[in-house]
Amino acid sequence: MGKSAALIILCILITSFVSYGQTSKTDSLLRLLQDEIVDTARIDILNELGNELILKSQREAQDYYNEARQKSIDVNDTVRIVTSLIGLCDVYSMNGEYKKALEYITEAMNYAYNNNDLLATCHSRLAIEYYNLGKDEESIKHDRLALHYDLLVKDSFKIAYDLHNIGTYFLGTEHNDSATCYYKKSNEYIKNIDDELTAYNNSRIGFAHSHAKEYDTAINYHLLALKRFEKDSSLYEMAMEETYLANLQSLKNNSSKTLEHINNAKKYSYDLNNHVLIKTVHHL
């Protein structure tokens, strides 16, 4: 279980921008740019356009972030400079250009030095890029720094994500119990118990118990995760949880439950037309 599977900060932030009405929202934002508006409002729209388009057209997103960055520099707006640089970091990271992404987020850090909230966000992004570059020690150092600054600003939502990410370093290692502690602590910071992060935490706790061969407890946590993912019809996550449950039931020699979870995983995989998932399920 690698960190890439559990490091969900970026994924959740990015996928939250995608909606059914994405095209109409993009059009609305573009129309707003035609109006006579103050510079800061124009910069905010440019950054939002980048957010809206980052999964659909990364080249366009990059252009909007760059324009926002330059206009932010022109008006000497530190917060907006950092926001646009984080957007550019995300674009390059999604393209697998991790060194370039690191350059942008390092530049953002130089602007964020006196803002604890921005520093926390930058350190969190740095953790991602160092992980992508295979530098785990640097990665966890920045996850811990992100937690430090989020604790200073008392942002419970971001603290929960920081704890989740730190826990992932210990998952499946000799410090597996530490992973469980971090995930449970993460859940304590989530004010809305129905938040999707609780499902990810519970899934990882399930992995930790599975690693410790505590299969019944692992099954209970994966069932909790599955129940939450079902609320949003998150088919990919549902398929993965069903796969994990099938493996656990197989380890318990419960053939009927194993087959039940395999069939559910197969259904969700075909609904998604995800060939990797389909292949995974067929190998169960």
Side-chain angles (χ1 to χ4, degrees), residues 100-146:
K100 191 68 177 177
L102 191 62
E103 289 178 17
Y104 278 110
I105 201 61
T106 300
E107 183 181 348
M109 280 282 293
N110 293 332
Y111 284 102
Y113 67 93
N114 62 348
N115 184 312
N116 288 337
D117 187 34
L118 291 178
L119 281 170
T121 301
C122 288
H123 280 296
S124 191
R125 287 299 200 281
L126 279 164
I128 294 172
E129 301 317 323
Y130 277 118
Y131 172 78
N132 287 333
L133 289 167
K135 298 182 178 181
D136 288 355
E137 289 187 8
E138 280 293 309
S139 183
I140 192 170
K141 180 182 81 174
H142 287 287
D143 268 329
R144 291 188 185 280
L145 284 167

Side-chain angles (χ1 to χ4, degrees), residues 202 216-228 230 241-242 245 249 261:
N202 287 334
D216 287 331
T217 305
I219 287 169
N220 288 336
Y221 275 103
H222 280 297
L223 286 171
L224 284 172
L226 177 61
K227 184 177 180 180
R228 174 59 187 84
E230 286 174 341
E241 293 302 319
E242 294 284 4
L245 286 162
Q249 293 292 357
H261 290 301

Side-chain angles (χ1 to χ4, degrees), residues 20 46 60-61 68 82 86 97 108 123 125 134 140 155 206 209 212 226 228 231 234:
Y20 178 78
L46 290 167
E60 288 182 89
V82 173
I86 289 172
E97 297 180 55
H123 280 296
R125 287 299 200 281
I140 192 170
D155 189 325
H209 284 290
L226 177 61
R228 174 59 187 84
K231 285 188 176 183
S234 302

Side-chain angles (χ1 to χ4, degrees), residues 170-180:
F170 303 107
L171 188 60
T173 71
E174 60 181 321
H175 304 293
N176 194 54
D177 288 346
S178 294
T180 301

